[in-house]
């Protein structure tokens, strides 16, 4: 027997856990952490650029407001640069009101007229003012006398829209960085919360997976799958697994053989790969019970179905073909023994009659009696072999006639019966005729003027078989159900199963592209008709010439 699963307790490599639960949890945590870090980084990168842009736009707006202030351009043209001048006074008011790092007003030469450090008034600015003096607005991050800052520069227009100077406003860059650093704790808090929620969800999913996998390691699951495949494909019993929609999930080798399917049947619905009938109904669960009989092709199957928790089912199939044949042979043997026993009594009676005639010295009557008894049997055999040229089928009918006679039933061939010796599948035709004659014999036995009439006609390659009996007949509402597996009006035989003869006849006929039907006979009884379109081989030219000559 195989060793039980190790539940992940086998040797480990580099500390990596073996159980499915642990591996999935670690992988999920790694993915969640990586995604959280990536998203946080992707959020911080544009946030820094956004804060820089916001600071530059703010500096530019202050510069625009300063340049638009009434009197600034006039004071720049009419006064000298000084710490107490009107330009410095106005610029400092704006700086303090807006929180800017500096507000610098310069003339066309780049000389400062205002600065937070008064001693720098009158000096040339430290950064290039040419773009602003040319009438363009500028936003930038640059370093000057007060350090790194976000700057906005605009031209200062005088009368006639003449550029008389420029206004430069700076926002301290440390304040921008402080805003960025101030946003990080909140962002990390959100990221940490998301990471915690994701880790909890990963843990709960992994715990569910642990229960579903019974805390096994991947190696254990792989070993179980390997063992399952080996077991399913080695057992001599068919196994068919279905999902909740009736689609085939699994089909082992024996099931493929019994049902006549290929490996491509897996994943397809039952109705798509099997012909409608009892076999499909049993597999799909429309017929319930234990040890259900089904006929697939020329095989007799015994099916058992068990539902699964997911709404599907597992069906096991056993081949009862050989057992069924043995059972039918047992029935035939039992009937033959009964017939032989009855024939023994009749033979004894004939011997006693013959002995009496001899003792009475009625020798001529004794000779006539023996001739008559022998002639009846010889005539029957000659009549059958003359009209039925196939030796297997002729032997069957001769034997059935003897058994029928012992049971008080007359078996004769119908007028016009003629079957050439060109049968493609003699054993199949013997099975069809034997089953129909046996059923007719059971139906006719005990009736008044019990008789069976067997008719065989050939037309081209088609054979039409008719078996008529004098029994009680078949009710019209049962004409279809009698060809269903398991249907029977007889008592159970020794092998315990009934209702397979007529379904086998139907399957054999359909396999050759033919059909089987039942109708009521005139005067009572039933007539079974089987049409086999391809039952005969094509005649050879010599046979056709001989047939034409006989005509």
């Amino acid at each position: 027997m195989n060793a039980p699963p190790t539940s992940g307790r086998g040797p480990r490599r580099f500390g990596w856990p073996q159980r499915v639960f642990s591996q999935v949890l670690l992988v999920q945590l790694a993915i969640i952490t990586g995604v959280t870090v990536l998203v946080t980084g992707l959020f911080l990168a544009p946030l820094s650029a956004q804060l820089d842009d916001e600071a530059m736009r703010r500096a530019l707006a202050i510069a625009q407001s300063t340049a638009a202030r009434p009197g600034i351009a006039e004071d720049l043209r009419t006064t000298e640069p000084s710490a107490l001048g009107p330009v410095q006074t106005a610029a400092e008011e704006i700086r303090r009101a807006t929180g800017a790092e500096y507000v610098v007003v310069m003339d066309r030469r780049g000389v400062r007229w205002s600065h937070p450090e008064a001693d720098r008034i009158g000096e040339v600015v430290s950064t290039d003012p040419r773009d602003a003096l040319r009438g363009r607005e500028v936003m930038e991050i640059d370093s000057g006398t007060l350090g790194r800052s976000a700057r906005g520069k605009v031209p200062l227009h005088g009368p006639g829209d003449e550029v008389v100077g420029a206004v430069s406003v700076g926002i301290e860059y440390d304040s921008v960085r402080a805003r960025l650093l101030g946003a990080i704790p909140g962002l990390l808090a959100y990221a940490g919360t998301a990471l915690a929620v994701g880790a909890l969800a990963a843990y709960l999913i992994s715990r569910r997976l642990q229960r579903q996998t019974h805390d096994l390691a991947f190696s254990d699951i792989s070993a179980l799958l390997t063992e399952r495949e080996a077991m399913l494909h080695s057992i001599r019993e068919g196994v068919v697994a279905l999902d909740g929609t009736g689609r085939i999930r699994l089909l082992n080798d024996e099931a493929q053989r019994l049902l006549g399917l290929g490996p491509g049947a897996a994943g397809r619905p039952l109705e798509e790969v099997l012909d409608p009938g009892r076999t499909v109904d049993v597999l799909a669960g429309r017929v319930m019970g234990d040890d259900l009989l089904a006929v697939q092709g020329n095989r007799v199957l015994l099916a058992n179905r068990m539902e699964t928790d997911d709404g599907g089912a597992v069906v096991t199939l056993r081949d009862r073909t050989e057992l069924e044949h043995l059972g039918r042979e047992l029935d035939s043997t039992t009937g033959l023994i009964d017939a032989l026993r009855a024939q023994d009594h009749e033979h004894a009676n004939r011997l006693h009659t013959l002995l009496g005639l001899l003792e009475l010295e009625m020798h001529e009557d004794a000779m006539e009696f023996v001739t008559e008894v022998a002639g009846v049997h010889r005539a029957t055999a000659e009549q059958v072999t003359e009209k039925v040229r196939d030796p297997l089928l002729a032997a069957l009918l001769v034997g059935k006639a003897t058994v029928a006679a012992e049971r008080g039933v007359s078996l004769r061939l119908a007028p016009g019966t003629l079957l050439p010796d060109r049968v493609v599948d003699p054993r199949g035709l013997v099975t069809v005729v034997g089953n129909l004659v046996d059923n007719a014999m059971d139906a006719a036995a005990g009736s008044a003027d019990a008789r069976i009439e067997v008719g065989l006609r050939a037309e081209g390659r088609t054979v039409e078989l008719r078996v008529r009996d004098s029994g009680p007949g078949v009710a019209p509402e049962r004409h279809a159900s009698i060809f269903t597996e398991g249907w029977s009006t007889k008592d159970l035989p020794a092998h315990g199963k009934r209702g397979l003869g007529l379904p086998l006849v139907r399957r054999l006929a359909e396999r050759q592209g033919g059909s089987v039907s039942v109708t009521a006979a005139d005067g009572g009884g039933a007539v079974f008709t089987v049409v086999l379109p391809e039952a005969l081989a094509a005649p050879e030219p010599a046979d056709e010439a001989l047939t034409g000559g006989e005509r």
Side-chain angles (χ1 to χ4, degrees):
M1 295 179 65
N2 295 323
T6 60
S7 300
R9 298 185 179 87
R12 299 184 179 183
R13 298 179 180 177
F14 307 108
W16 183 253
Q18 297 295 306
R19 291 182 299 174
V20 176
F21 157 73
S22 303
Q23 289 191 24
V24 172
L25 179 60
L26 287 179
V27 170
Q28 287 181 322
L29 290 177
I31 293 174
I32 293 171
T33 302
V35 171
T36 303
V37 171
L38 179 62
V39 171
T40 302
L42 293 176
F43 182 78
L44 284 176
L47 177 62
S48 176
Q50 181 180 356
L51 291 176
D52 289 347
D53 183 72
E54 182 181 342
M56 289 187 293
R57 291 186 179 278
R58 181 183 168 206
L60 183 65
I62 296 173
Q64 291 171 339
S65 300
T66 303
R69 182 164 178 160
I72 288 288
E74 182 65 22
D75 291 340
L76 184 65
R77 289 189 308 108
T78 58
T79 62
E80 295 294 329
S82 67
L84 300 176
V87 176
Q88 169 70 1
T89 302
E92 284 300 295
E93 288 178 358
I94 294 173
R95 183 184 69 81
R96 287 191 292 268
T98 58
E101 183 180 15
Y102 64 83
V103 177
V104 174
V105 180
M106 67 191 81
D107 60 14
R108 288 191 58 83
R109 297 170 299 169
V111 176
R112 298 188 186 99
W113 285 62
S114 65
H115 196 276
E117 298 177 0
D119 56 348
R120 294 186 181 275
I121 296 176
E123 297 179 357
V124 177
V125 296
S126 58
T127 57
D128 187 3
R130 284 179 294 182
D131 288 339
L133 294 175
R134 289 172 183 165
R136 295 172 56 190
E137 295 182 345
V138 179
M139 292 191 305
E140 62 184 0
I141 303 292
D142 202 355
S143 298
T145 57
L146 297 179
R148 191 170 180 80
S149 60
R151 304 183 177 193
K153 298 178 183 180
V154 298
L156 182 61
H157 296 277
D161 205 24
E162 177 189 2
V163 177
V164 298
V167 178
S168 177
V169 177
I171 303 296
E172 185 178 4
Y173 195 73
D174 289 341
S175 66
V176 178
R177 184 180 302 168
R179 289 184 63 192
L180 177 63
L181 295 177
I184 290 178
L187 180 62
L188 293 179
Y190 286 121
T193 302
L195 181 61
V197 172
L200 178 60
Y203 176 77
L204 295 177
I205 293 174
S206 299
R207 287 291 296 178
R208 182 183 180 189
L209 183 62
Q210 182 184 28
R211 291 191 299 269
Q212 291 178 338
T213 59
H214 302 285
D215 201 20
L216 296 177
F218 278 112
S219 58
D220 296 329
I221 295 176
S222 177
L224 287 174
L225 288 175
T226 302
E227 292 171 1
R228 188 200 71 163
E229 289 298 313
M231 178 182 65
L232 286 176
H233 294 290
S234 63
I235 60 176
R236 303 305 298 168
E237 188 169 284
V239 178
V240 181
L242 307 170
D243 62 14
T245 62
R247 196 177 296 270
I248 299 175
R249 286 193 296 202
L250 176 69
L251 195 71
N252 72 343
D253 296 342
E254 183 67 6
Q256 294 177 27
R257 184 182 72 85
L258 295 178
L259 297 176
L261 302 177
R268 299 168 63 187
L270 277 173
E271 289 76 5
E272 188 177 313
V273 297
L274 293 175
D275 295 330
R278 180 178 171 84
T279 301
V280 173
D281 293 339
V282 170
L283 294 178
R286 291 190 284 270
V287 179
M288 304 300 293
D290 297 330
D291 293 338
L292 296 173
L293 281 174
V295 176
Q296 181 65 18
N298 59 349
R299 297 187 182 279
V300 180
L301 306 179
L302 201 63
N304 285 281
R305 190 176 192 273
M306 177 169 289
E307 307 288 337
T308 56
D309 294 337
D310 61 353
V314 175
V315 184
T316 58
L317 302 171
R318 283 177 285 167
D319 191 354
R320 284 185 56 95
T321 306
E322 296 300 328
L323 182 60
E324 188 63 30
H325 287 170
L326 291 175
R328 296 187 68 82
E329 289 180 7
L330 178 60
D331 284 348
S332 300
T333 303
T334 303
L336 182 58
I337 291 174
D338 292 339
L340 289 175
R341 186 180 296 113
Q343 193 173 31
D344 179 62
H345 287 291
E346 183 179 355
H347 184 63
N349 292 333
R350 289 171 180 171
L351 288 178
H352 293 157
T353 302
L354 179 60
L355 180 61
L357 290 173
L358 292 175
E359 287 180 352
L360 295 174
E361 297 183 357
M362 301 173 65
H363 300 104
E364 292 183 2
D365 293 335
M367 290 179 62
E368 291 178 1
F369 177 74
V370 172
T371 302
E372 179 183 357
V373 171
V376 170
H377 294 284
R378 187 181 304 109
T380 300
E382 289 177 353
Q383 180 188 17
V384 171
T385 55
E386 179 183 356
K387 295 185 177 182
V388 180
R389 307 290 176 80
D390 183 81
L392 285 179
L393 194 57
L396 172 72
L397 291 175
V398 171
K400 292 295 183 183
T402 302
V403 174
E406 299 301 334
R407 296 184 61 180
V409 179
S410 171
L411 190 152
R412 62 175 180 267
L413 295 179
T417 296
L418 182 61
L419 182 70
D421 187 13
R422 291 187 284 111
V423 179
V424 175
D425 183 14
R427 294 184 180 275
L429 189 55
V430 164
T431 300
V432 172
V433 175
N435 276 290
L436 292 180
V437 170
D438 285 343
N439 287 338
M441 199 181 304
D442 291 338
S447 64
D449 190 20
R451 65 190 182 280
I452 300 173
E453 186 177 80
V454 179
L456 285 162
R457 289 193 309 107
E459 184 174 347
R461 297 186 59 188
T462 301
V463 171
E464 182 182 86
L465 166 67
R466 288 179 180 269
V467 178
R468 175 178 177 176
D469 63 70
S470 60
V474 180
E477 63 272 12
R478 294 183 176 178
H479 282 182
S481 60
I482 61 172
F483 297 103
T484 304
E485 293 90 335
W487 190 93
S488 179
T489 59
K490 306 174 186 177
D491 296 331
L492 289 179
H495 52 96
K497 296 292 179 182
R498 278 287 190 190
L500 293 175
L502 291 178
L504 278 176
V505 170
R506 178 173 63 90
R507 294 285 178 159
L508 288 171
E510 291 177 350
R511 190 175 64 179
Q512 297 185 23
S515 62
V516 58
S517 60
V518 59
T519 57
D522 296 337
V527 178
F528 286 84
T529 303
V530 180
V531 178
L532 304 174
E534 304 292 333
L536 297 179
E540 297 181 358
D543 295 337
E544 291 182 350
L546 180 60
T547 304
E550 289 178 351
R551 291 178 181 175

CSV table of all heavy atoms in Angstrom, one decimal, residues 466-498:
chain,number,residue,atom,x,y,z
A,466,ARG,N,-39.1,-11.8,-39.9
A,466,ARG,CA,-40.3,-11.7,-39.2
A,466,ARG,C,-40.5,-12.9,-38.3
A,466,ARG,O,-40.4,-14.0,-38.8
A,466,ARG,CB,-41.5,-11.6,-40.2
A,466,ARG,CG,-41.6,-10.3,-41.0
A,466,ARG,CD,-42.8,-10.3,-41.9
A,466,ARG,NE,-42.9,-9.0,-42.7
A,466,ARG,CZ,-43.6,-8.0,-42.3
A,466,ARG,NH1,-44.3,-8.1,-41.1
A,466,ARG,NH2,-43.6,-6.9,-43.0
A,467,VAL,N,-40.8,-12.7,-37.1
A,467,VAL,CA,-41.1,-13.8,-36.1
A,467,VAL,C,-42.5,-13.5,-35.6
A,467,VAL,O,-42.8,-12.5,-34.9
A,467,VAL,CB,-40.1,-13.8,-35.0
A,467,VAL,CG1,-40.5,-14.9,-34.0
A,467,VAL,CG2,-38.7,-14.1,-35.6
A,468,ARG,N,-43.4,-14.5,-35.9
A,468,ARG,CA,-44.8,-14.3,-35.4
A,468,ARG,C,-45.1,-15.4,-34.4
A,468,ARG,O,-44.7,-16.6,-34.6
A,468,ARG,CB,-45.8,-14.4,-36.6
A,468,ARG,CG,-47.2,-14.4,-36.2
A,468,ARG,CD,-48.1,-14.4,-37.5
A,468,ARG,NE,-49.5,-14.5,-37.2
A,468,ARG,CZ,-50.5,-14.4,-38.1
A,468,ARG,NH1,-50.2,-14.3,-39.4
A,468,ARG,NH2,-51.7,-14.5,-37.7
A,469,ASP,N,-45.9,-15.1,-33.3
A,469,ASP,CA,-46.2,-16.1,-32.3
A,469,ASP,C,-47.7,-16.0,-32.1
A,469,ASP,O,-48.4,-15.0,-32.5
A,469,ASP,CB,-45.4,-15.9,-31.0
A,469,ASP,CG,-45.8,-14.5,-30.4
A,469,ASP,OD1,-46.9,-14.4,-29.8
A,469,ASP,OD2,-44.9,-13.6,-30.4
A,470,SER,N,-48.2,-17.0,-31.4
A,470,SER,CA,-49.7,-17.1,-31.1
A,470,SER,C,-49.9,-16.7,-29.7
A,470,SER,O,-51.0,-17.1,-29.1
A,470,SER,CB,-50.2,-18.5,-31.4
A,470,SER,OG,-49.5,-19.5,-30.6
A,471,GLY,N,-49.0,-16.0,-29.0
A,471,GLY,CA,-49.2,-15.6,-27.6
A,471,GLY,C,-50.2,-14.5,-27.4
A,471,GLY,O,-51.0,-14.2,-28.3
A,472,PRO,N,-50.2,-13.9,-26.2
A,472,PRO,CA,-51.2,-12.9,-25.9
A,472,PRO,C,-50.9,-11.6,-26.6
A,472,PRO,O,-51.8,-10.7,-26.6
A,472,PRO,CB,-51.0,-12.7,-24.4
A,472,PRO,CG,-49.6,-13.2,-24.1
A,472,PRO,CD,-49.3,-14.3,-25.1
A,473,GLY,N,-49.7,-11.4,-27.2
A,473,GLY,CA,-49.4,-10.2,-27.9
A,473,GLY,C,-48.9,-9.1,-27.0
A,473,GLY,O,-48.7,-9.3,-25.8
A,474,VAL,N,-48.6,-7.9,-27.5
A,474,VAL,CA,-48.0,-6.8,-26.8
A,474,VAL,C,-49.0,-5.6,-26.9
A,474,VAL,O,-49.4,-5.3,-28.0
A,474,VAL,CB,-46.6,-6.4,-27.4
A,474,VAL,CG1,-46.1,-5.2,-26.6
A,474,VAL,CG2,-45.7,-7.6,-27.3
A,475,ALA,N,-49.3,-5.0,-25.8
A,475,ALA,CA,-50.2,-3.9,-25.8
A,475,ALA,C,-49.6,-2.7,-26.6
A,475,ALA,O,-48.4,-2.5,-26.5
A,475,ALA,CB,-50.5,-3.4,-24.4
A,476,PRO,N,-50.4,-2.0,-27.3
A,476,PRO,CA,-49.9,-0.9,-28.2
A,476,PRO,C,-49.0,0.1,-27.4
A,476,PRO,O,-48.0,0.6,-27.9
A,476,PRO,CB,-51.1,-0.2,-28.8
A,476,PRO,CG,-52.2,-1.3,-28.8
A,476,PRO,CD,-51.9,-2.1,-27.5
A,477,GLU,N,-49.4,0.4,-26.2
A,477,GLU,CA,-48.7,1.4,-25.4
A,477,GLU,C,-47.3,0.9,-24.9
A,477,GLU,O,-46.5,1.7,-24.5
A,477,GLU,CB,-49.5,1.9,-24.1
A,477,GLU,CG,-49.8,0.8,-23.1
A,477,GLU,CD,-51.1,0.0,-23.4
A,477,GLU,OE1,-51.6,0.2,-24.6
A,477,GLU,OE2,-51.5,-0.8,-22.6
A,478,ARG,N,-47.1,-0.4,-25.1
A,478,ARG,CA,-45.8,-1.0,-24.7
A,478,ARG,C,-44.9,-1.3,-25.9
A,478,ARG,O,-43.8,-1.9,-25.7
A,478,ARG,CB,-46.0,-2.2,-23.9
A,478,ARG,CG,-46.7,-2.0,-22.5
A,478,ARG,CD,-46.8,-3.3,-21.7
A,478,ARG,NE,-47.3,-3.0,-20.4
A,478,ARG,CZ,-47.6,-4.0,-19.5
A,478,ARG,NH1,-47.3,-5.2,-19.8
A,478,ARG,NH2,-48.1,-3.7,-18.3
A,479,HIS,N,-45.3,-0.9,-27.1
A,479,HIS,CA,-44.5,-1.2,-28.3
A,479,HIS,C,-43.1,-0.6,-28.2
A,479,HIS,O,-42.2,-1.2,-28.8
A,479,HIS,CB,-45.3,-0.8,-29.5
A,479,HIS,CG,-46.4,-1.7,-29.9
A,479,HIS,ND1,-47.1,-1.5,-31.0
A,479,HIS,CD2,-46.8,-2.9,-29.3
A,479,HIS,CE1,-48.1,-2.5,-31.1
A,479,HIS,NE2,-47.9,-3.3,-30.0
A,480,ALA,N,-43.0,0.5,-27.6
A,480,ALA,CA,-41.7,1.2,-27.5
A,480,ALA,C,-40.9,0.7,-26.3
A,480,ALA,O,-39.7,0.6,-26.3
A,480,ALA,CB,-41.8,2.7,-27.5
A,481,SER,N,-41.6,0.5,-25.2
A,481,SER,CA,-40.9,0.2,-23.9
A,481,SER,C,-40.3,-1.2,-23.9
A,481,SER,O,-39.3,-1.4,-23.1
A,481,SER,CB,-41.8,0.4,-22.7
A,481,SER,OG,-42.9,-0.5,-22.8
A,482,ILE,N,-40.8,-2.1,-24.7
A,482,ILE,CA,-40.3,-3.5,-24.6
A,482,ILE,C,-38.8,-3.6,-25.1
A,482,ILE,O,-38.1,-4.5,-24.8
A,482,ILE,CB,-41.1,-4.5,-25.4
A,482,ILE,CG1,-41.2,-4.1,-26.9
A,482,ILE,CG2,-42.5,-4.5,-24.8
A,482,ILE,CD1,-41.9,-5.1,-27.7
A,483,PHE,N,-38.4,-2.5,-25.8
A,483,PHE,CA,-37.0,-2.5,-26.3
A,483,PHE,C,-36.1,-1.8,-25.4
A,483,PHE,O,-34.9,-1.5,-25.7
A,483,PHE,CB,-36.9,-1.9,-27.7
A,483,PHE,CG,-37.7,-2.7,-28.8
A,483,PHE,CD1,-38.9,-2.3,-29.2
A,483,PHE,CD2,-37.2,-3.9,-29.3
A,483,PHE,CE1,-39.6,-3.0,-30.2
A,483,PHE,CE2,-37.9,-4.6,-30.2
A,483,PHE,CZ,-39.1,-4.2,-30.7
A,484,THR,N,-36.6,-1.5,-24.2
A,484,THR,CA,-35.8,-0.8,-23.2
A,484,THR,C,-35.1,-1.8,-22.2
A,484,THR,O,-35.7,-2.7,-21.8
A,484,THR,CB,-36.6,0.2,-22.4
A,484,THR,OG1,-37.3,1.1,-23.2
A,484,THR,CG2,-35.8,1.0,-21.4
A,485,GLU,N,-33.8,-1.5,-21.9
A,485,GLU,CA,-33.1,-2.4,-21.0
A,485,GLU,C,-33.8,-2.6,-19.7
A,485,GLU,O,-34.2,-1.6,-19.1
A,485,GLU,CB,-31.7,-1.9,-20.7
A,485,GLU,CG,-30.8,-1.9,-22.0
A,485,GLU,CD,-30.9,-0.6,-22.7
A,485,GLU,OE1,-31.9,0.1,-22.6
A,485,GLU,OE2,-29.9,-0.3,-23.4
A,486,GLY,N,-34.0,-3.8,-19.2
A,486,GLY,CA,-34.6,-4.1,-17.9
A,486,GLY,C,-36.0,-4.3,-17.9
A,486,GLY,O,-36.6,-4.8,-16.9
A,487,TRP,N,-36.7,-4.1,-19.1
A,487,TRP,CA,-38.2,-4.3,-19.1
A,487,TRP,C,-38.4,-5.7,-19.5
A,487,TRP,O,-37.9,-6.3,-20.4
A,487,TRP,CB,-38.8,-3.4,-20.2
A,487,TRP,CG,-40.3,-3.4,-20.2
A,487,TRP,CD1,-41.1,-2.5,-19.6
A,487,TRP,CD2,-41.2,-4.3,-20.8
A,487,TRP,NE1,-42.4,-2.8,-19.8
A,487,TRP,CE2,-42.5,-3.9,-20.5
A,487,TRP,CE3,-41.0,-5.5,-21.6
A,487,TRP,CZ2,-43.6,-4.6,-21.0
A,487,TRP,CZ3,-42.1,-6.1,-22.1
A,487,TRP,CH2,-43.4,-5.7,-21.8
A,488,SER,N,-39.3,-6.4,-18.7
A,488,SER,CA,-39.6,-7.8,-18.9
A,488,SER,C,-40.9,-8.1,-18.1
A,488,SER,O,-41.2,-7.5,-17.1
A,488,SER,CB,-38.5,-8.7,-18.5
A,488,SER,OG,-38.8,-10.1,-18.6
A,489,THR,N,-41.6,-9.1,-18.6
A,489,THR,CA,-42.8,-9.6,-17.9
A,489,THR,C,-42.5,-11.0,-17.3
A,489,THR,O,-43.4,-11.6,-16.7
A,489,THR,CB,-44.0,-9.7,-18.9
A,489,THR,OG1,-43.6,-10.6,-20.0
A,489,THR,CG2,-44.3,-8.3,-19.4
A,490,LYS,N,-41.3,-11.5,-17.5
A,490,LYS,CA,-40.9,-12.9,-17.1
A,490,LYS,C,-40.3,-12.9,-15.7
A,490,LYS,O,-39.8,-11.9,-15.2
A,490,LYS,CB,-39.9,-13.5,-18.0
A,490,LYS,CG,-40.4,-13.5,-19.5
A,490,LYS,CD,-39.3,-14.0,-20.4
A,490,LYS,CE,-39.7,-13.9,-21.9
A,490,LYS,NZ,-38.6,-14.3,-22.7
A,491,ASP,N,-40.3,-14.0,-15.0
A,491,ASP,CA,-39.7,-14.2,-13.8
A,491,ASP,C,-38.2,-14.2,-13.9
A,491,ASP,O,-37.7,-14.5,-15.0
A,491,ASP,CB,-40.1,-15.5,-13.1
A,491,ASP,CG,-41.6,-15.6,-12.8
A,491,ASP,OD1,-42.1,-14.5,-12.5
A,491,ASP,OD2,-42.2,-16.7,-12.8
A,492,LEU,N,-37.5,-13.8,-12.9
A,492,LEU,CA,-36.0,-13.7,-12.9
A,492,LEU,C,-35.4,-15.1,-13.2
A,492,LEU,O,-35.8,-16.1,-12.6
A,492,LEU,CB,-35.4,-13.1,-11.6
A,492,LEU,CG,-35.7,-11.7,-11.4
A,492,LEU,CD1,-35.1,-11.3,-10.1
A,492,LEU,CD2,-35.1,-10.8,-12.5
A,493,PRO,N,-34.4,-15.2,-14.1
A,493,PRO,CA,-33.7,-16.4,-14.4
A,493,PRO,C,-32.7,-16.7,-13.3
A,493,PRO,O,-32.5,-16.0,-12.3
A,493,PRO,CB,-33.1,-16.2,-15.7
A,493,PRO,CG,-32.8,-14.7,-15.8
A,493,PRO,CD,-33.9,-14.1,-15.0
A,494,ALA,N,-31.9,-17.7,-13.6
A,494,ALA,CA,-30.8,-18.1,-12.6
A,494,ALA,C,-29.8,-17.0,-12.4
A,494,ALA,O,-29.3,-16.8,-11.3
A,494,ALA,CB,-30.2,-19.4,-13.0
A,495,HIS,N,-29.5,-16.3,-13.5
A,495,HIS,CA,-28.4,-15.3,-13.3
A,495,HIS,C,-29.0,-14.0,-12.8
A,495,HIS,O,-28.2,-13.0,-12.7
A,495,HIS,CB,-27.7,-15.1,-14.7
A,495,HIS,CG,-28.6,-14.8,-15.8
A,495,HIS,ND1,-28.9,-13.6,-16.3
A,495,HIS,CD2,-29.3,-15.7,-16.6
A,495,HIS,CE1,-29.8,-13.6,-17.3
A,495,HIS,NE2,-30.0,-14.9,-17.5
A,496,GLY,N,-30.3,-13.9,-12.5
A,496,GLY,CA,-30.8,-12.7,-11.8
A,496,GLY,C,-31.2,-11.5,-12.6
A,496,GLY,O,-31.5,-10.5,-12.0
A,497,LYS,N,-31.1,-11.5,-13.9
A,497,LYS,CA,-31.4,-10.3,-14.7
A,497,LYS,C,-32.3,-10.7,-15.9
A,497,LYS,O,-32.1,-11.7,-16.5
A,497,LYS,CB,-30.1,-9.6,-15.2
A,497,LYS,CG,-29.2,-9.1,-14.1
A,497,LYS,CD,-29.8,-7.9,-13.4
A,497,LYS,CE,-28.9,-7.4,-12.3
A,497,LYS,NZ,-29.5,-6.3,-11.5
A,498,ARG,N,-33.2,-9.8,-16.2
A,498,ARG,CA,-34.1,-9.9,-17.4
A,498,ARG,C,-34.1,-8.6,-18.2
A,498,ARG,O,-33.5,-7.6,-17.7
A,498,ARG,CB,-35.5,-10.2,-16.9
A,498,ARG,CG,-35.8,-11.7,-16.5
A,498,ARG,CD,-35.8,-12.6,-17.7
A,498,ARG,NE,-36.3,-13.9,-17.4
A,498,ARG,CZ,-36.3,-14.9,-18.2
A,498,ARG,NH1,-35.8,-14.8,-19.5
A,498,ARG,NH2,-36.7,-16.1,-17.9
